[in-house]
Amino acid sequence: MAPADSEFWGANRWVCRRRKRVRVLPIGRGEAWMASEAPDYFQPEGGLVLTHLLIVRDVDRSREFYRRVLGATVVRERQPAILRFQNSYIVINSEGGPTDDKPGVQAQAPPDPNTLSSAMNVRVTDVREVYEQWRSRGGEFLTEPKDHGVEIRCYLRDPDGYLIELGQGTGILAEMGRAASA
């Protein structure tokens, strides 16, 4: 049963709003993680919001991957697609030629998925729980989570080959004098 101050948020999740924070509560599983509410994409309070732009071969396929596997919320369907993901946004647009505001620049999805030039980095408090959740939704990971002392991490690819790092701070927190989440 969801808390009294919660609302249904789709994909079997409830959102609990308290003190300007959002808790995503998968039904019957307790709290998955906490995130600050994303600022308004179109009119950010404070005047700025940082997003991540992905150039893809098929906007619909990529939008559905981020919605279905990562649980992002679609704000705009296309041209560009905009998805709210926890406390940020993912902007998805198709390949194309130069425009008047970026002359000489070709927008292109990664030509080689085995060459890393950029990656989305998603930090969580329980990497193994999110790994299992995303795998159950069709996410294909390169490996299971690996412990590297300072962090536990693993990677999956989106439909265009972009790497998404899923990580949890461990030893790095101790180095900084902070306790790891239970």
Side-chain angles (χ1 to χ4, degrees):
M1 187 71 172
D5 63 344
S6 298
E7 63 186 73
F8 186 63
W9 211 32
N12 294 329
R13 295 179 300 163
W14 291 86
V15 173
C16 186
R17 298 182 187 283
R18 290 189 188 128
R19 290 182 233 107
K20 295 185 181 179
R21 294 185 69 76
V22 175
R23 290 190 309 156
V24 179
L25 303 170
I27 296 173
R29 297 195 57 202
E31 184 175 336
W33 59 76
M34 286 191 72
S36 295
E37 201 167 343
D40 185 305
Y41 179 86
F42 302 99
Q43 294 181 314
E45 186 179 323
L48 185 141
V49 62
L50 180 65
T51 68
H52 193 85
L53 170 66
L54 299 174
I55 302 299
V56 303
R57 293 174 190 84
D58 182 333
V59 172
D60 294 333
R61 178 185 68 177
S62 294
R63 182 194 62 237
E64 288 310 301
F65 170 84
Y66 285 96
R67 184 196 59 76
R68 181 179 48 81
V69 177
L70 274 61
T73 302
V74 176
V75 174
R76 181 182 166 103
E77 292 285 326
R78 61 181 52 82
Q79 295 182 342
I82 301 170
L83 293 93
R84 183 177 58 238
F85 180 64
Q86 296 298 316
N87 60 354
S88 190
Y89 292 89
I90 301 167
V91 179
I92 301 172
N93 216 347
S94 56
E95 297 178 311
T99 58
D100 63 351
D101 57 344
K102 52 182 187 330
V105 176
Q106 192 74 26
Q108 183 178 357
D112 175 11
N114 293 320
T115 300
L116 178 63
S117 63
S118 175
M120 198 176 307
N121 188 319
V122 180
R123 307 306 288 183
V124 297
T125 55
D126 188 339
V127 70
R128 288 178 177 86
E129 179 181 348
V130 177
Y131 166 81
E132 290 299 335
Q133 182 181 54
W134 290 1
R135 264 183 25 139
S136 74
R137 295 175 179 169
E140 296 180 18
F141 286 80
L142 279 61
T143 67
E144 71 280 353
K146 303 284 186 176
D147 191 334
H148 292 270
V150 295
E151 67 180 350
I152 303 168
R153 67 178 186 255
C154 55
Y155 294 85
L156 72 154
R157 292 189 196 280
D158 82 354
D160 283 275
Y162 284 105
L163 275 181
I164 302 167
E165 177 183 314
L166 178 62
Q168 173 185 342
T170 54
I172 196 167
L173 295 173
E175 289 175 11
M176 297 170 61
R178 296 171 54 190
S181 299

